[in-house]
């Protein structure tokens, strides 16, 4: 069952008074139809009596700047894209020290965050949700000043993602990760990590580490039924071995929503975790699908920081 979202009189008031919207989109995306989508959303919002500005961003830095400025000038920020685009908007919110309601028009390959929050994947329905939806409190994870809206990986999951090219994602969709994953099976790479969470420090080896803030990973929304987008927790999975026989086991537990109960999987539910690298080689992370910083890192939950427009 989809969780009951947090609501209060302030949020109901916000939903009523949202009048001024800013839509940001990547203006350098080549063949992307983001500009067409942005103009369509602007037209629909205008017809609903809203004031709408468009901002075609030239870089990630520009998008962050626009998102930061929006918190003092607009009632709602709208972003077009996948988890990476949402992450960029949240970077602006963090720099501003506050957020405003965020509307999402999914446009990525997987759209994991949108799926987890049941935001319509259809462009037309997502645009209509900008009018009909209401703001809900949603947790945001942070690594210093860097936001994490959906997931953080290191180990083989990060290695697989690193080896997937943008044109391959467009051509093959999520299946490309399976093909790359099979190839990755023929390596024997594990990482020695120091984990500090919930007052306990331990050293262990793992081939995969995954941190999520929702019940979804890779667009599969039944991955962890115990997690919700507003439960104020990080959900951490460490897979000690990643071999062909283990994939079959992990796959069965994954599809049933019980991965945390599989043998060889360590699950940690926490509000803060520090991960240090005890291996001789550098270990980099991927956040919301994009390359990010190397270990050590400290991940924290910023509870209820976001206000996402969700369907009623």
């Amino acid at each position: 069952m989809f969780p009951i979202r947090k609501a209060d009189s302030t949020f109901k008031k916000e939903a009523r008074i949202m009048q001024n919207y800013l839509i940001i989109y990547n203006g350098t995306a080549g063949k992307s139809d983001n500009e067409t989508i942005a103009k369509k959303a602007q037209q629909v919002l205008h017809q609903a009596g809203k004031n709408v500005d468009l901002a075609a961003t030239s870089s990630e830095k520009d998008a962050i700047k626009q998102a930061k400025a929006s918190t003092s000038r607009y009632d709602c920020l709208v972003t077009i894209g996948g988890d990476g685009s949402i992450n960029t908007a949240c970077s602006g919110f963090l720099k501003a020290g506050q957020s405003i309601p965020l509307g999402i028009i999914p446009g990525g390959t997987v759209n994991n965050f949108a799926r987890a929050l049941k935001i319509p994947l259809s462009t037309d329905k997502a645009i209509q949700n900008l009018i009909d939806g209401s703001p809900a409190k949603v947790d945001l994870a942070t690594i210093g000043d860097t936001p994490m809206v959906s997931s953080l990986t290191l180990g083989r999951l990060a290695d697989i993602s690193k080896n997937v090219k943008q044109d391959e994602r467009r051509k093959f969709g999520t299946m490309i990760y399976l093909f790359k994953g099979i190839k990755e099976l023929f390596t024997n790479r594990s990482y020695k990590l120091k984990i500090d969470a919930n007052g306990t420090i331990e050293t262990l080896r793992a081939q995969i580490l995954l941190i999520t803030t929702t019940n979804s990973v890779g667009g599969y929304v039944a991955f962890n039924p115990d997690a919700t987008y507003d439960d104020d927790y990080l959900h951490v999975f460490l897979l000690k071995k990643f071999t062909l026989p283990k994939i079959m086991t992990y796959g069965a537990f994954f599809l049933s929503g019980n991965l945390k109960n599989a043998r060889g999987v360590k699950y940690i539910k926490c509000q803060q975790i520090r991960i240090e690298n005890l291996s001789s080689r550098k270990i980099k992370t991927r956040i919301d699908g994009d390359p990010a910083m190397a270990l050590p890192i400290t991940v924290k939950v910023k509870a209820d920081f976001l206000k996402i427009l969700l369907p009623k």
Side-chain angles (χ1 to χ4, degrees):
M1 180 180 294
F2 195 57
I4 297 174
R5 64 193 187 198
K6 298 176 183 178
D8 56 30
S9 58
T10 302
F11 269 36
K12 291 177 182 178
K13 183 179 179 182
E14 278 183 340
R16 288 196 304 269
I17 66 173
M18 283 193 301
Q19 185 65 27
N20 300 310
Y21 289 67
L22 174 66
I23 302 176
I24 60 173
Y25 62 94
N26 187 345
T28 61
K31 297 180 181 179
S32 171
D33 57 356
N34 284 350
E35 184 174 4
T36 300
I37 294 172
K39 289 181 177 179
K40 184 174 184 178
Q42 182 184 43
Q43 181 182 19
V44 172
L45 287 165
H46 274 164
Q47 290 172 349
K50 308 297 184 181
N51 303 317
V52 186
D53 290 333
L54 301 184
T57 59
S58 58
S59 64
E60 181 182 11
K61 183 177 180 180
D62 184 25
I64 293 173
K65 180 180 178 181
Q66 294 280 359
K68 177 183 177 182
S70 73
T71 61
S72 60
R73 301 175 185 173
Y74 295 90
D75 304 318
C76 180
L77 175 68
V78 178
T79 183
I80 303 171
D83 288 359
S85 297
I86 300 167
N87 182 290
T88 299
C90 291
S91 291
F93 288 165
L94 285 177
K95 286 183 178 297
Q98 62 181 336
S99 69
I100 57 175
L102 179 66
I104 297 169
I105 302 176
T109 303
V110 179
N111 299 307
N112 187 66
F113 190 66
R115 290 177 187 272
L117 274 63
K118 291 195 173 181
I119 294 169
L121 301 184
S122 160
T123 297
D124 289 344
K125 292 181 179 179
I127 291 174
Q128 189 60 41
N129 182 58
L130 302 178
I131 300 168
D132 298 337
S134 58
K137 294 179 180 180
V138 175
D139 300 331
L140 179 68
T142 60
I143 306 91
D145 295 329
T146 301
M148 181 195 105
V149 301
S150 180
S151 65
L152 179 148
T153 62
L154 62 84
R156 286 190 170 182
L157 279 180
D159 294 337
I160 292 167
S161 298
K162 179 180 64 177
N163 294 327
V164 175
K165 298 177 181 178
Q166 185 68 23
D167 59 341
E168 291 177 323
R169 282 198 292 180
R170 291 196 189 101
K171 185 175 181 180
F172 300 106
T174 57
M175 288 300 294
I176 189 62
Y177 293 96
L178 175 61
F179 298 142
K180 297 285 185 176
I182 291 173
K183 182 180 179 181
E184 189 67 25
L185 282 174
F186 294 97
T187 68
N188 183 24
R189 184 179 302 158
S190 64
Y191 304 88
K192 188 176 182 181
L193 305 172
K194 180 179 178 182
I195 306 294
D196 183 354
N198 295 327
T200 300
I201 300 175
E202 57 184 315
T203 300
L204 51 80
R205 280 196 170 271
Q207 291 190 310
I208 288 177
L209 183 144
L210 167 68
I211 304 177
T212 68
T213 55
T214 70
N215 63 331
S216 178
V217 65
Y220 184 67
V221 296
F223 159 68
N224 184 11
D226 294 337
T228 64
Y229 57 76
D230 59 354
D231 62 9
D232 304 351
Y233 283 101
L234 300 170
H235 301 270
V236 185
F237 297 81
L238 294 104
L239 282 64
K240 298 177 182 178
K241 291 186 178 181
F242 193 59
T243 61
L244 189 54
K246 278 293 183 184
I247 279 186
M248 303 300 292
T249 301
Y250 291 154
F253 278 86
F254 177 89
L255 293 174
S256 65
N258 290 299
L259 180 61
K260 59 179 172 290
N261 297 321
R263 188 173 181 180
V265 175
K266 183 174 182 61
Y267 169 68
I268 304 170
K269 182 178 178 181
C270 58
Q271 294 181 318
Q272 176 175 315
I273 184 169
R274 180 166 176 80
I275 307 164
E276 297 182 32
N277 176 18
L278 299 181
S279 297
S280 58
R281 60 182 177 274
K282 192 174 184 180
I283 304 175
K284 288 191 174 182
T285 63
R286 290 185 74 89
I287 296 175
D288 298 326
D290 293 326
M293 72 287 290
L295 298 185
I297 59 171
T298 299
V299 188
K300 301 179 181 180
V301 170
K302 202 170 181 65
D304 301 339
F305 179 74
L306 298 177
K307 307 163 189 177
I308 308 295
L309 290 183
L310 300 188
K312 293 180 181 177

